[in-house]
Amino acid sequence: MPTALLDARTYTAPEQAIWPAHIVRADAIAAALDQARAGAPGPDGRREMLAVHPSSREPGLGLAPATSVAFGVVRPGETTQRRRTNAGSFTMALQGTAIAEVGPAIHSVGPRDCWNTPGMHI
């Protein structure tokens, strides 16, 4: 099994491809949210659409390397399963009102309210 440590004195990182700028237009976001709103939620109760850069490849599709962006819809009366990831997340409510649970804290949120969920927190 190879070692998990590299000698930084002799290691040179490979050249990385720079992704060009990519704009996700408001009309595309609105259409994706309409599609999510109309469909059934996933097994975790979520209705999410991922913004994916054209240069992104599996695994780890995202808007930029190491950056995931999701647009989601929670319909009245719905709840989602809590989830934990290694990365922190930033969330913004665009419309409506909801209850957001971050760790032991419970927050009432409305349009344009934002919150951060630190990595490894549910």
Side-chain angles (χ1 to χ4, degrees), residues 78-101:
E78 290 183 336
T79 60
T80 61
Q81 289 180 8
R82 299 173 77 184
R83 69 175 160 201
R84 182 183 73 193
T85 65
N86 291 338
S89 68
F90 171 81
T91 308
M92 174 186 279
L94 298 177
Q95 296 176 338
T97 60
I99 301 296
E101 295 182 44

Side-chain angles (χ1 to χ4, degrees), residues 33 37 74 92-98 109-112:
L33 290 174
R37 193 175 292 111
V74 180
M92 174 186 279
L94 298 177
Q95 296 176 338
T97 60
V109 296
R112 297 188 193 98

Side-chain angles (χ1 to χ4, degrees), residues 2 10 20 22 34 42-43 55 58 67-68 71 74 86-87 92 98 114 119:
T10 58
H22 178 68
D34 286 344
S55 298
E58 290 276 6
T67 303
S68 176
F71 295 95
V74 180
N86 291 338
M92 174 186 279
C114 306

Side-chain angles (χ1 to χ4, degrees), residues 32-73:
L33 290 174
D34 286 344
Q35 181 181 348
R37 193 175 292 111
D44 60 359
R46 299 181 188 283
R47 301 165 179 274
E48 291 182 331
M49 305 298 266
L50 300 176
V52 178
H53 191 284
S55 298
S56 185
R57 300 289 178 263
E58 290 276 6
L61 296 175
L63 192 56
T67 303
S68 176
V69 176
F71 295 95
V73 173

Side-chain angles (χ1 to χ4, degrees), residues 2-31:
T3 181
L5 300 173
L6 294 174
D7 188 338
R9 298 168 296 176
T10 58
Y11 175 75
T12 302
E15 194 70 26
Q16 294 281 332
I18 303 297
W19 292 6
H22 178 68
I23 297 173
V24 181
R25 300 279 180 198
D27 59 340
I29 295 168

